[in-house]
PDB file of all heavy atoms in Angstrom:
ATOM      1  N   ASP T  93    -237.894 127.757 -19.960  1.00 98.00           N
ATOM      2  CA  ASP T  93    -236.926 127.908 -21.041  1.00 98.00           C
ATOM      3  C   ASP T  93    -237.298 129.149 -21.857  1.00 98.00           C
ATOM      4  O   ASP T  93    -238.316 129.164 -22.545  1.00 98.00           O
ATOM      5  CB  ASP T  93    -236.917 126.662 -21.915  1.00 98.00           C
ATOM      6  CG  ASP T  93    -235.796 126.663 -22.937  1.00 98.00           C
ATOM      7  OD1 ASP T  93    -235.230 127.749 -23.227  1.00 98.00           O
ATOM      8  OD2 ASP T  93    -235.487 125.583 -23.464  1.00 98.00           O
ATOM      9  N   LEU T  94    -236.482 130.169 -21.750  1.00 98.00           N
ATOM     10  CA  LEU T  94    -236.714 131.440 -22.438  1.00 98.00           C
ATOM     11  C   LEU T  94    -235.930 131.545 -23.745  1.00 98.00           C
ATOM     12  O   LEU T  94    -235.895 132.609 -24.360  1.00 98.00           O
ATOM     13  CB  LEU T  94    -236.306 132.606 -21.520  1.00 98.00           C
ATOM     14  CG  LEU T  94    -237.039 132.686 -20.186  1.00 98.00           C
ATOM     15  CD1 LEU T  94    -236.376 133.716 -19.280  1.00 98.00           C
ATOM     16  CD2 LEU T  94    -238.498 133.009 -20.400  1.00 98.00           C
ATOM     17  N   THR T  95    -235.319 130.447 -24.162  1.00 97.00           N
ATOM     18  CA  THR T  95    -234.427 130.470 -25.317  1.00 97.00           C
ATOM     19  C   THR T  95    -235.088 131.056 -26.557  1.00 97.00           C
ATOM     20  O   THR T  95    -234.538 131.967 -27.187  1.00 97.00           O
ATOM     21  CB  THR T  95    -233.898 129.052 -25.611  1.00 97.00           C
ATOM     22  OG1 THR T  95    -233.282 128.537 -24.427  1.00 97.00           O
ATOM     23  CG2 THR T  95    -232.902 129.065 -26.747  1.00 97.00           C
ATOM     24  N   ALA T  96    -236.247 130.556 -26.932  1.00 97.00           N
ATOM     25  CA  ALA T  96    -236.913 131.030 -28.154  1.00 97.00           C
ATOM     26  C   ALA T  96    -237.208 132.524 -28.089  1.00 97.00           C
ATOM     27  O   ALA T  96    -237.127 133.223 -29.101  1.00 97.00           O
ATOM     28  CB  ALA T  96    -238.194 130.238 -28.396  1.00 97.00           C
ATOM     29  N   ALA T  97    -237.505 133.012 -26.890  1.00 97.00           N
ATOM     30  CA  ALA T  97    -237.822 134.434 -26.728  1.00 97.00           C
ATOM     31  C   ALA T  97    -236.598 135.326 -26.876  1.00 97.00           C
ATOM     32  O   ALA T  97    -236.730 136.534 -27.091  1.00 97.00           O
ATOM     33  CB  ALA T  97    -238.485 134.675 -25.374  1.00 97.00           C
ATOM     34  N   THR T  98    -235.405 134.761 -26.759  1.00 96.00           N
ATOM     35  CA  THR T  98    -234.189 135.576 -26.867  1.00 96.00           C
ATOM     36  C   THR T  98    -233.751 135.785 -28.309  1.00 96.00           C
ATOM     37  O   THR T  98    -233.033 136.728 -28.611  1.00 96.00           O
ATOM     38  CB  THR T  98    -233.012 134.942 -26.114  1.00 96.00           C
ATOM     39  OG1 THR T  98    -232.651 133.722 -26.743  1.00 96.00           O
ATOM     40  CG2 THR T  98    -233.339 134.709 -24.659  1.00 96.00           C
ATOM     41  N   ILE T  99    -234.163 134.900 -29.186  1.00 98.00           N
ATOM     42  CA  ILE T  99    -233.688 134.949 -30.576  1.00 98.00           C
ATOM     43  C   ILE T  99    -234.028 136.269 -31.267  1.00 98.00           C
ATOM     44  O   ILE T  99    -233.141 136.869 -31.890  1.00 98.00           O
ATOM     45  CB  ILE T  99    -234.176 133.722 -31.361  1.00 98.00           C
ATOM     46  CG1 ILE T  99    -233.462 132.479 -30.796  1.00 98.00           C
ATOM     47  CG2 ILE T  99    -233.927 133.874 -32.858  1.00 98.00           C
ATOM     48  CD1 ILE T  99    -233.982 131.158 -31.320  1.00 98.00           C
ATOM     49  N   PRO T 100    -235.257 136.799 -31.157  1.00 97.00           N
ATOM     50  CA  PRO T 100    -235.531 138.089 -31.813  1.00 97.00           C
ATOM     51  C   PRO T 100    -234.629 139.227 -31.311  1.00 97.00           C
ATOM     52  O   PRO T 100    -234.225 140.090 -32.087  1.00 97.00           O
ATOM     53  CB  PRO T 100    -236.997 138.360 -31.476  1.00 97.00           C
ATOM     54  CG  PRO T 100    -237.581 137.004 -31.235  1.00 97.00           C
ATOM     55  CD  PRO T 100    -236.472 136.210 -30.604  1.00 97.00           C
ATOM     56  N   TYR T 101    -234.291 139.202 -30.019  1.00 96.00           N
ATOM     57  CA  TYR T 101    -233.388 140.222 -29.479  1.00 96.00           C
ATOM     58  C   TYR T 101    -232.039 140.170 -30.190  1.00 96.00           C
ATOM     59  O   TYR T 101    -231.507 141.188 -30.636  1.00 96.00           O
ATOM     60  CB  TYR T 101    -233.196 140.041 -27.970  1.00 96.00           C
ATOM     61  CG  TYR T 101    -232.004 140.806 -27.438  1.00 96.00           C
ATOM     62  CD1 TYR T 101    -232.094 142.173 -27.197  1.00 96.00           C
ATOM     63  CD2 TYR T 101    -230.784 140.173 -27.232  1.00 96.00           C
ATOM     64  CE1 TYR T 101    -230.995 142.887 -26.739  1.00 96.00           C
ATOM     65  CE2 TYR T 101    -229.678 140.876 -26.776  1.00 96.00           C
ATOM     66  CZ  TYR T 101    -229.794 142.233 -26.532  1.00 96.00           C
ATOM     67  OH  TYR T 101    -228.694 142.932 -26.093  1.00 96.00           O
ATOM     68  N   TRP T 102    -231.454 138.956 -30.286  1.00 97.00           N
ATOM     69  CA  TRP T 102    -230.134 138.812 -30.896  1.00 97.00           C
ATOM     70  C   TRP T 102    -230.172 139.106 -32.388  1.00 97.00           C
ATOM     71  O   TRP T 102    -229.220 139.658 -32.942  1.00 97.00           O
ATOM     72  CB  TRP T 102    -229.544 137.444 -30.588  1.00 97.00           C
ATOM     73  CG  TRP T 102    -229.121 137.375 -29.156  1.00 97.00           C
ATOM     74  CD1 TRP T 102    -229.801 136.814 -28.117  1.00 97.00           C
ATOM     75  CD2 TRP T 102    -227.950 137.965 -28.589  1.00 97.00           C
ATOM     76  NE1 TRP T 102    -229.115 136.995 -26.944  1.00 97.00           N
ATOM     77  CE2 TRP T 102    -227.968 137.707 -27.205  1.00 97.00           C
ATOM     78  CE3 TRP T 102    -226.879 138.680 -29.118  1.00 97.00           C
ATOM     79  CZ2 TRP T 102    -226.968 138.127 -26.343  1.00 97.00           C
ATOM     80  CZ3 TRP T 102    -225.869 139.102 -28.254  1.00 97.00           C
ATOM     81  CH2 TRP T 102    -225.918 138.826 -26.890  1.00 97.00           C
ATOM     82  N   GLU T 103    -231.272 138.772 -33.058  1.00 97.00           N
ATOM     83  CA  GLU T 103    -231.403 139.110 -34.479  1.00 97.00           C
ATOM     84  C   GLU T 103    -231.450 140.617 -34.671  1.00 97.00           C
ATOM     85  O   GLU T 103    -230.791 141.158 -35.573  1.00 97.00           O
ATOM     86  CB  GLU T 103    -232.663 138.451 -35.057  1.00 97.00           C
ATOM     87  CG  GLU T 103    -232.529 136.960 -35.193  1.00 97.00           C
ATOM     88  CD  GLU T 103    -233.810 136.260 -35.594  1.00 97.00           C
ATOM     89  OE1 GLU T 103    -234.918 136.811 -35.361  1.00 97.00           O
ATOM     90  OE2 GLU T 103    -233.717 135.148 -36.137  1.00 97.00           O
ATOM     91  N   LEU T 104    -232.203 141.292 -33.818  1.00 97.00           N
ATOM     92  CA  LEU T 104    -232.280 142.752 -33.899  1.00 97.00           C
ATOM     93  C   LEU T 104    -230.938 143.388 -33.554  1.00 97.00           C
ATOM     94  O   LEU T 104    -230.456 144.273 -34.263  1.00 97.00           O
ATOM     95  CB  LEU T 104    -233.374 143.268 -32.954  1.00 97.00           C
ATOM     96  CG  LEU T 104    -233.573 144.773 -32.924  1.00 97.00           C
ATOM     97  CD1 LEU T 104    -234.042 145.280 -34.290  1.00 97.00           C
ATOM     98  CD2 LEU T 104    -234.600 145.135 -31.852  1.00 97.00           C
ATOM     99  N   ARG T 105    -230.330 142.931 -32.479  1.00 97.00           N
ATOM    100  CA  ARG T 105    -229.032 143.485 -32.071  1.00 97.00           C
ATOM    101  C   ARG T 105    -227.978 143.335 -33.159  1.00 97.00           C
ATOM    102  O   ARG T 105    -227.150 144.220 -33.351  1.00 97.00           O
ATOM    103  CB  ARG T 105    -228.578 142.809 -30.776  1.00 97.00           C
ATOM    104  CG  ARG T 105    -227.249 143.316 -30.282  1.00 97.00           C
ATOM    105  CD  ARG T 105    -226.907 142.744 -28.958  1.00 97.00           C
ATOM    106  NE  ARG T 105    -225.465 142.684 -28.815  1.00 97.00           N
ATOM    107  CZ  ARG T 105    -224.844 142.462 -27.686  1.00 97.00           C
ATOM    108  NH1 ARG T 105    -225.531 142.268 -26.578  1.00 97.00           N
ATOM    109  NH2 ARG T 105    -223.538 142.413 -27.647  1.00 97.00           N
ATOM    110  N   ALA T 106    -228.005 142.224 -33.886  1.00 97.00           N
ATOM    111  CA  ALA T 106    -227.027 141.977 -34.947  1.00 97.00           C
ATOM    112  C   ALA T 106    -227.132 143.000 -36.069  1.00 97.00           C
ATOM    113  O   ALA T 106    -226.156 143.229 -36.786  1.00 97.00           O
ATOM    114  CB  ALA T 106    -227.207 140.565 -35.508  1.00 97.00           C
ATOM    115  N   ARG T 107    -228.283 143.647 -36.195  1.00 96.00           N
ATOM    116  CA  ARG T 107    -228.499 144.611 -37.280  1.00 96.00           C
ATOM    117  C   ARG T 107    -228.361 146.069 -36.830  1.00 96.00           C
ATOM    118  O   ARG T 107    -228.677 146.975 -37.593  1.00 96.00           O
ATOM    119  CB  ARG T 107    -229.892 144.413 -37.877  1.00 96.00           C
ATOM    120  CG  ARG T 107    -230.070 143.071 -38.540  1.00 96.00           C
ATOM    121  CD  ARG T 107    -231.378 142.978 -39.325  1.00 96.00           C
ATOM    122  NE  ARG T 107    -232.548 143.448 -38.616  1.00 96.00           N
ATOM    123  CZ  ARG T 107    -233.447 142.682 -38.012  1.00 96.00           C
ATOM    124  NH1 ARG T 107    -233.297 141.371 -38.012  1.00 96.00           N
ATOM    125  NH2 ARG T 107    -234.483 143.200 -37.405  1.00 96.00           N
ATOM    126  N   THR T 108    -227.913 146.289 -35.606  1.00 96.00           N
ATOM    127  CA  THR T 108    -227.808 147.656 -35.100  1.00 96.00           C
ATOM    128  C   THR T 108    -226.353 148.071 -34.919  1.00 96.00           C
ATOM    129  O   THR T 108    -225.436 147.262 -35.027  1.00 96.00           O
ATOM    130  CB  THR T 108    -228.521 147.802 -33.732  1.00 96.00           C
ATOM    131  OG1 THR T 108    -227.750 147.110 -32.740  1.00 96.00           O
ATOM    132  CG2 THR T 108    -229.938 147.270 -33.778  1.00 96.00           C
ATOM    133  N   HIS T 109    -226.185 149.339 -34.591  1.00 95.00           N
ATOM    134  CA  HIS T 109    -224.846 149.855 -34.305  1.00 95.00           C
ATOM    135  C   HIS T 109    -224.277 149.291 -32.997  1.00 95.00           C
ATOM    136  O   HIS T 109    -223.107 149.469 -32.701  1.00 95.00           O
ATOM    137  CB  HIS T 109    -224.880 151.388 -34.257  1.00 95.00           C
ATOM    138  CG  HIS T 109    -225.657 151.918 -33.098  1.00 95.00           C
ATOM    139  ND1 HIS T 109    -227.040 151.929 -33.065  1.00 95.00           N
ATOM    140  CD2 HIS T 109    -225.250 152.443 -31.926  1.00 95.00           C
ATOM    141  CE1 HIS T 109    -227.450 152.442 -31.912  1.00 95.00           C
ATOM    142  NE2 HIS T 109    -226.380 152.769 -31.211  1.00 95.00           N
ATOM    143  N   LEU T 110    -225.103 148.592 -32.225  1.00 89.00           N
ATOM    144  CA  LEU T 110    -224.651 147.988 -30.971  1.00 89.00           C
ATOM    145  C   LEU T 110    -223.951 146.650 -31.178  1.00 89.00           C
ATOM    146  O   LEU T 110    -223.393 146.089 -30.245  1.00 89.00           O
ATOM    147  CB  LEU T 110    -225.849 147.781 -30.033  1.00 89.00           C
ATOM    148  CG  LEU T 110    -226.626 149.033 -29.633  1.00 89.00           C
ATOM    149  CD1 LEU T 110    -227.859 148.648 -28.835  1.00 89.00           C
ATOM    150  CD2 LEU T 110    -225.740 149.983 -28.851  1.00 89.00           C
ATOM    151  N   ALA T 111    -223.990 146.142 -32.390  1.00 96.00           N
ATOM    152  CA  ALA T 111    -223.404 144.829 -32.664  1.00 96.00           C
ATOM    153  C   ALA T 111    -221.922 144.800 -32.302  1.00 96.00           C
ATOM    154  O   ALA T 111    -221.179 145.736 -32.584  1.00 96.00           O
ATOM    155  CB  ALA T 111    -223.593 144.481 -34.138  1.00 96.00           C
TER     156      ALA T 111
END
Side-chain angles (χ1 to χ4, degrees):
D93 188 342
L94 301 170
T95 305
T98 66
I99 292 171
Y101 164 79
W102 287 99
E103 289 173 337
L104 180 64
R105 180 174 152 167
R107 296 189 313 259
T108 71
H109 68 284
L110 300 174

